[in-house]
Amino acid sequence: MSPTVDHYRIVPELTVPGYASDALKAIVGATHAAVQANVDNLGAGTPSRAPRFVKLLRDKQIVDDKNQSIATTNHNETVSALRDIEASMDVNDEGVDSSTYGTYSVAGDAYVDIEKAVNQLQGTINDAENAPGPSVDAAGRQYWPEAVEGPLRTACATTAATVEQRMWDATTDIQRHAEHINNSAPDNPTSSGYGGTTAPLTTPWSGHSYVPPADAGTIDKIKGFAANELGVAETGTNHVNRPYNIDDAWCASFATWVWKQSGINVDWSNKNYVPSVWSDAAGKGWADSDMSSARPGDLVVFGGQHHIGVVVARNGNSITTIEGNSGDAVRQHTYNLAGGNFTGVIHPPAKTPVNA
């Protein structure tokens, strides 16, 4: 387990007696690394990104397609393969964004099951240590014969498979939870629900593309691209004939598109889902719950994380926004920062060149 990685929860250590073979020690170490990587992906809310340890064991012909250990005479090759697999588990774990670790029930419930599986594996190892215990060779050295170590390698693979199945279940649970939240949100929110007022939508979209002036900075581009979309309206349920159409609630897709057109290309984990955008931004240090910091170019996330818009102006204690999927169209709104219903704002990345 890499000491440089912040873990969601520490998986109990797996230990084997000193007389165990290098191959058994290697598979136990790799199994622990794999479970820890799975747990950290779970805590970050990304269980689907967890490594597929069992598949690697099969690919290296360490276990068969039923997760039964395959005996081998080339122990050095097996140990080398397992150490490579363990290293790949550590690399996956190092890539987990620990700043996104959550405390939601799906992760907690799954971890309880995973910890139970790990403890059961340690119990299986301990049982073998007690009975039949070690054999002794002609030189007086203790060892475990293949009749003992083979089933223990199988137990490692079985534990890993159990963990991966629990991760798959967690992925499904998280997706269902997200869909429940998404389905409970209004499809076409209006500013009145967040304490603002709406400018009349007096003219339809011009149909013209916006071309920024050669000297335009990032903020001017954001304002220009957003304003150019005013009047775009749905031609069917949640359908707009524009690049940000997803045939679903499209406020987040619109806001992300405006940023991308302006030179800010952010790879959100789900650009169409406001809670994911806010969570990702928080993980990157761009989210700010202090609305007094709102400024043109920001994305504003509204209370409940059901809606998002683009800030195009700041006037004292008020902001002007342009929002997609607002009353079935792209509309302009005004909010008093003291009276609005906000989660916060997302500032453009600090490295993005901006103009005043």
Side-chain angles (χ1 to χ4, degrees), residues 145-185:
E146 177 62 21
V148 175
E149 292 210 346
L152 290 178
R153 292 196 299 272
T154 296
C156 287
T158 300
T159 298
T162 298
V163 170
E164 290 180 6
Q165 179 59 52
R166 192 60 183 86
M167 293 292 285
W168 177 258
D169 294 342
T171 301
T172 303
D173 291 344
I174 289 172
Q175 182 60 38
R176 286 174 178 166
H177 180 64
E179 289 173 354
H180 173 74
I181 293 173
N182 199 39
N183 291 337
S184 67

XYZ file of all heavy atoms in Angstrom, residues 145-185:
311
model
N 2.789 -26.899 1.645
C 2.756 -27.600 0.360
C 1.686 -27.000 -0.549
O 0.819 -26.230 -0.117
C 2.410 -29.039 0.751
C 1.628 -28.892 2.024
C 2.262 -27.722 2.744
N 1.724 -27.386 -1.812
C 0.755 -26.889 -2.787
C -0.673 -27.211 -2.371
O -1.594 -26.438 -2.653
C 1.047 -27.491 -4.173
C 0.051 -27.101 -5.259
C -0.005 -25.614 -5.538
O 0.961 -24.897 -5.208
O -1.022 -25.157 -6.107
N -0.875 -28.296 -1.657
C -2.223 -28.673 -1.217
C -2.818 -27.631 -0.280
O -4.041 -27.532 -0.150
C -2.181 -30.034 -0.516
N -1.975 -26.849 0.374
C -2.439 -25.769 1.257
C -2.445 -24.430 0.515
O -3.417 -23.671 0.564
C -1.552 -25.669 2.521
C -1.963 -24.467 3.375
C -1.625 -26.956 3.331
N -1.354 -24.169 -0.198
C -1.216 -22.847 -0.815
C -2.156 -22.658 -2.006
O -2.627 -21.542 -2.250
C 0.239 -22.600 -1.232
C 1.170 -22.461 -0.047
C 2.350 -21.554 -0.328
O 2.595 -21.240 -1.519
O 3.026 -21.144 0.637
N -2.427 -23.731 -2.745
C -3.341 -23.605 -3.880
C -4.704 -23.077 -3.459
O -5.203 -22.087 -4.010
N -5.348 -23.686 -2.456
C -6.634 -23.173 -1.990
C -6.553 -21.752 -1.426
O -7.521 -20.991 -1.536
C -7.040 -24.177 -0.902
C -6.374 -25.455 -1.311
C -5.056 -25.023 -1.892
N -5.409 -21.395 -0.847
C -5.271 -20.029 -0.324
C -5.185 -19.020 -1.470
O -5.721 -17.910 -1.374
C -4.045 -19.932 0.577
C -4.150 -20.670 1.924
C -2.844 -20.523 2.702
C -5.326 -20.140 2.742
N -4.513 -19.384 -2.555
C -4.494 -18.489 -3.727
C -5.908 -18.351 -4.305
O -6.327 -17.267 -4.713
C -3.529 -19.028 -4.787
C -2.052 -18.977 -4.372
C -1.121 -19.142 -5.579
N -1.317 -20.424 -6.253
C -0.683 -21.557 -5.937
N 0.179 -21.574 -4.925
N -0.903 -22.672 -6.618
N -6.635 -19.477 -4.314
C -8.032 -19.428 -4.765
C -8.848 -18.511 -3.857
O -9.681 -17.735 -4.329
C -8.653 -20.841 -4.765
O -7.969 -21.648 -5.727
C -10.132 -20.792 -5.094
N -8.606 -18.591 -2.545
C -9.333 -17.738 -1.597
C -9.058 -16.263 -1.861
O -9.959 -15.416 -1.741
C -8.949 -18.106 -0.168
N -7.819 -15.928 -2.246
C -7.494 -14.533 -2.585
C -8.302 -14.071 -3.793
O -8.897 -12.984 -3.797
C -6.000 -14.401 -2.875
S -4.930 -14.509 -1.427
N -8.335 -14.908 -4.831
C -9.076 -14.556 -6.037
C -10.571 -14.461 -5.753
O -11.263 -13.569 -6.270
C -8.812 -15.580 -7.134
N -11.078 -15.349 -4.908
C -12.499 -15.326 -4.563
C -12.853 -14.061 -3.799
O -13.897 -13.432 -4.043
C -12.857 -16.559 -3.713
O -12.566 -17.746 -4.463
C -14.324 -16.557 -3.336
N -11.984 -13.663 -2.891
C -12.204 -12.413 -2.147
C -12.218 -11.227 -3.087
O -13.081 -10.344 -2.997
C -11.117 -12.227 -1.081
O -11.183 -13.308 -0.145
C -11.292 -10.906 -0.345
N -11.251 -11.182 -4.004
C -11.184 -10.072 -4.962
C -12.437 -10.029 -5.826
O -12.979 -8.961 -6.128
C -9.940 -10.208 -5.834
N -12.914 -11.209 -6.240
C -14.129 -11.268 -7.064
C -15.337 -10.776 -6.283
O -16.210 -10.083 -6.821
C -14.359 -12.697 -7.556
N -15.394 -11.107 -5.000
C -16.488 -10.643 -4.143
C -16.475 -9.124 -4.036
O -17.521 -8.466 -4.116
C -16.371 -11.269 -2.736
O -16.476 -12.682 -2.847
C -17.452 -10.740 -1.810
N -15.279 -8.568 -3.852
C -15.146 -7.110 -3.753
C -15.567 -6.449 -5.060
O -16.289 -5.438 -5.065
C -13.694 -6.729 -3.391
C -13.473 -5.220 -3.521
C -13.374 -7.201 -1.973
N -15.135 -6.997 -6.180
C -15.473 -6.394 -7.471
C -16.971 -6.465 -7.750
O -17.545 -5.541 -8.321
C -14.654 -7.059 -8.580
C -13.176 -6.694 -8.494
C -12.321 -7.340 -9.569
O -12.887 -7.993 -10.478
O -11.091 -7.193 -9.504
N -17.611 -7.551 -7.322
C -19.065 -7.635 -7.476
C -19.749 -6.577 -6.616
O -20.721 -5.945 -7.039
C -19.559 -9.023 -7.080
C -21.079 -9.192 -7.186
C -21.591 -8.950 -8.598
O -21.103 -9.528 -9.562
N -22.600 -8.078 -8.736
N -19.222 -6.356 -5.398
C -19.808 -5.332 -4.518
C -19.601 -3.949 -5.115
O -20.468 -3.062 -4.973
C -19.172 -5.407 -3.123
C -19.933 -4.573 -2.086
C -21.356 -5.048 -1.941
N -22.136 -4.232 -1.024
C -22.788 -3.117 -1.364
N -22.727 -2.680 -2.615
N -23.491 -2.455 -0.480
N -18.490 -3.736 -5.798
C -18.242 -2.456 -6.461
C -19.220 -2.260 -7.608
O -19.720 -1.153 -7.854
C -16.808 -2.406 -6.977
C -15.758 -2.383 -5.879
S -15.737 -0.872 -4.912
C -14.957 0.225 -6.101
N -19.507 -3.331 -8.330
C -20.480 -3.248 -9.423
C -21.857 -2.878 -8.872
O -22.573 -2.045 -9.429
C -20.539 -4.569 -10.165
C -21.574 -4.591 -11.256
C -22.808 -5.173 -11.223
C -21.466 -3.981 -12.551
N -23.479 -4.975 -12.401
C -22.677 -4.244 -13.234
C -20.474 -3.261 -13.194
C -22.914 -3.789 -14.528
C -20.702 -2.808 -14.489
C -21.907 -3.071 -15.128
N -22.215 -3.502 -7.736
C -23.493 -3.178 -7.099
C -23.520 -1.714 -6.671
O -24.545 -1.034 -6.808
C -23.719 -4.070 -5.875
C -23.907 -5.541 -6.244
O -24.198 -5.818 -7.424
O -23.735 -6.393 -5.355
N -22.382 -1.225 -6.142
C -22.318 0.170 -5.706
C -22.455 1.122 -6.883
O -23.088 2.179 -6.779
C -21.005 0.427 -4.962
N -21.853 0.757 -8.016
C -21.985 1.574 -9.220
C -23.451 1.721 -9.602
O -23.935 2.818 -9.905
C -21.206 0.947 -10.391
O -19.831 0.842 -10.042
C -21.339 1.785 -11.653
N -24.166 0.596 -9.572
C -25.594 0.619 -9.898
C -26.375 1.451 -8.889
O -27.242 2.249 -9.254
C -26.152 -0.812 -9.932
O -25.409 -1.577 -10.882
C -27.618 -0.824 -10.317
N -26.052 1.300 -7.599
C -26.755 2.050 -6.558
C -26.533 3.550 -6.703
O -27.466 4.345 -6.549
C -26.277 1.599 -5.172
C -26.722 0.187 -4.829
O -27.638 -0.316 -5.513
O -26.149 -0.406 -3.896
N -25.280 3.948 -6.996
C -24.969 5.362 -7.154
C -25.705 5.942 -8.357
O -26.240 7.044 -8.327
C -23.444 5.570 -7.271
C -22.778 5.308 -5.918
C -23.117 6.976 -7.762
C -21.275 5.290 -5.971
N -25.748 5.158 -9.454
C -26.442 5.637 -10.643
C -27.935 5.788 -10.365
O -28.554 6.776 -10.780
C -26.227 4.662 -11.803
C -26.885 5.097 -13.109
C -26.353 6.429 -13.596
O -25.169 6.721 -13.479
N -27.229 7.256 -14.143
N -28.515 4.829 -9.652
C -29.937 4.936 -9.320
C -30.199 6.146 -8.440
O -31.205 6.847 -8.597
C -30.396 3.661 -8.610
C -30.537 2.448 -9.532
C -30.853 1.206 -8.735
N -31.033 0.053 -9.604
C -31.062 -1.209 -9.179
N -30.932 -1.470 -7.883
N -31.232 -2.202 -10.030
N -29.286 6.403 -7.493
C -29.433 7.554 -6.612
C -29.371 8.842 -7.425
O -30.169 9.759 -7.221
C -28.324 7.542 -5.557
C -28.376 8.679 -4.599
N -29.418 8.864 -3.721
C -27.519 9.718 -4.395
C -29.190 9.955 -3.002
N -28.048 10.488 -3.395
N -28.424 8.903 -8.368
C -28.294 10.096 -9.209
C -29.543 10.292 -10.056
O -30.035 11.422 -10.220
C -27.060 9.972 -10.109
N -30.058 9.197 -10.608
C -31.259 9.313 -11.425
C -32.455 9.755 -10.601
O -33.297 10.527 -11.062
C -31.550 7.969 -12.104
C -30.553 7.625 -13.203
C -30.755 6.222 -13.744
O -31.605 5.483 -13.179
O -30.074 5.875 -14.724
N -32.509 9.294 -9.353
C -33.615 9.703 -8.486
C -33.556 11.207 -8.232
O -34.567 11.904 -8.297
C -33.549 8.945 -7.166
C -34.536 9.414 -6.140
N -35.876 9.119 -6.233
C -34.384 10.179 -5.030
C -36.519 9.671 -5.210
N -35.627 10.316 -4.466
N -32.361 11.713 -7.943
C -32.200 13.152 -7.722
C -32.539 13.920 -8.989
O -33.250 14.925 -8.965
C -30.754 13.467 -7.269
C -30.497 12.880 -5.887
C -30.509 14.964 -7.259
C -29.067 12.997 -5.437
N -32.018 13.420 -10.105
C -32.238 14.106 -11.378
C -33.724 14.135 -11.738
O -34.249 15.138 -12.191
C -31.453 13.410 -12.483
C -31.262 14.287 -13.698
O -31.037 15.489 -13.568
N -31.354 13.709 -14.873
N -34.406 13.013 -11.504
C -35.814 12.945 -11.862
C -36.689 13.768 -10.930
O -37.799 14.152 -11.292
C -36.302 11.489 -11.842
C -35.703 10.673 -12.963
O -35.284 11.223 -13.981
N -35.627 9.365 -12.793
N -36.186 14.069 -9.730
C -36.966 14.866 -8.798
C -36.770 16.357 -9.019
O -37.465 17.168 -8.434
C -36.580 14.525 -7.347
O -35.249 14.940 -7.072
N -35.822 16.721 -9.880
C -35.546 18.132 -10.145
C -36.469 18.649 -11.241
O -36.889 17.902 -12.114
C -34.089 18.298 -10.574
